[in-house]
Amino acid sequence: MSMKIWIDAGHGRNQKGVNDPGAVHPSGRTEADDNLRYAKELEKQFKAKGFEVIMTRTKEDENPTVNDRCAIERKNGCVLALSCHRNGAGPTATGFEAWVHSRAPESFIGWGKKIAAGIAPLGLKTRGIYRGAPGYADFGVNRLTNSPSMLLELGFVTSDRDNAVFDQKLTQLCKAIVDGCIEFLKERNKL
């Protein structure tokens, strides 16, 4: 049996009319749609490396609750949990961020730094690898999953510059994430 990676394409919408687009660019481009694009690219690349991938959503018209998303991870005994997001702010905010649990070991910060080191040369500066979230105990995807987890903010959907990097280099950005995860698993003696 191959090792399982949980990939969560953050936000979404469902048939009941519940729409959670996440951050939105003035043009109407949504974080939810971009999250699904890069979650699917990660899925493809992890599968090419021999992993089984557990997705929380595979279509635009899905929007499971955070509890339901994390229950999928717990049920499947995954070795890593990645939640795909893009940030939102004013048009000048740019860069990559990663969030781990507030009590995550230092090795999780190192895991984020490995990913960031692969992403930075592609044009997304590193804003930080953080524990916990301001004003919250932790993001649900870090608090409610069993495996080492990370919420990845792959640039700002509100930034034309970051959107250009995302659109032109998505395959390479996802390769940096996959490579960083594989290195982390090797260090934890999981591979």
Side-chain angles (χ1 to χ4, degrees), residues 145-156:
T145 52
N146 287 340
S147 60
S149 62
M150 186 175 295
L151 185 144
L152 302 159
E153 297 274 10
L154 196 56
F156 283 73

Side-chain angles (χ1 to χ4, degrees), residues 5-180:
I5 306 287
W6 177 84
I7 299 177
D8 170 45
H11 306 288
R13 57 186 166 271
N14 65 29
Q15 294 92 357
K16 296 177 185 172
V18 177
N19 188 28
D20 177 13
V24 180
H25 186 275
S27 69
R29 178 180 183 152
T30 69
E31 175 190 0
D33 291 343
D34 281 2
N35 293 345
L36 186 58
R37 275 180 61 203
Y38 98 83
K40 286 182 174 183
E41 180 62 28
L42 286 173
E43 176 188 30
K44 179 176 128 188
Q45 291 191 30
F46 273 115
K47 282 183 173 180
K49 298 282 187 181
F51 291 91
E52 183 179 342
V53 177
I54 308 299
M55 300 284 284
T56 61
R57 69 181 183 99
T58 58
K59 303 181 290 200
E60 291 176 355
D61 63 346
E62 293 176 311
N63 186 17
T65 67
V66 171
N67 285 338
D68 289 344
R69 292 169 194 256
C70 295
I72 292 167
E73 183 271 343
R74 293 189 308 271
K75 175 183 152 194
N76 281 282
C78 299
V79 294
L80 286 181
L82 302 173
S83 187
C84 301
H85 287 266
R86 299 210 55 221
N87 233 327
T92 59
T94 64
F96 166 78
E97 295 178 352
W99 293 87
V100 297
H101 194 279
S102 58
R103 292 187 307 275
E106 192 61 32
S107 63
F108 287 32
I109 299 296
W111 172 29
K113 287 179 179 178
K114 286 174 190 7
I115 292 170
I119 286 174
L122 300 170
L124 291 181
K125 70 178 182 177
T126 303
R127 296 171 55 90
I129 312 303
Y130 303 107
R131 284 188 176 97
Y136 300 94
D138 283 293
F139 286 116
V141 295
N142 295 130
R143 184 172 29 88
L144 301 172
T145 52
N146 287 340
S147 60
S149 62
M150 186 175 295
L151 185 144
L152 302 159
E153 297 274 10
L154 196 56
F156 283 73
V157 74
T158 50
S159 163
D160 291 337
R161 183 190 172 287
D162 282 7
N163 286 338
V165 172
F166 183 90
D167 292 340
Q168 295 163 15
K169 299 180 180 177
L170 183 59
T171 300
Q172 298 98 309
L173 292 165
C174 289
K175 182 181 184 310
I177 295 168
V178 170
D179 289 349

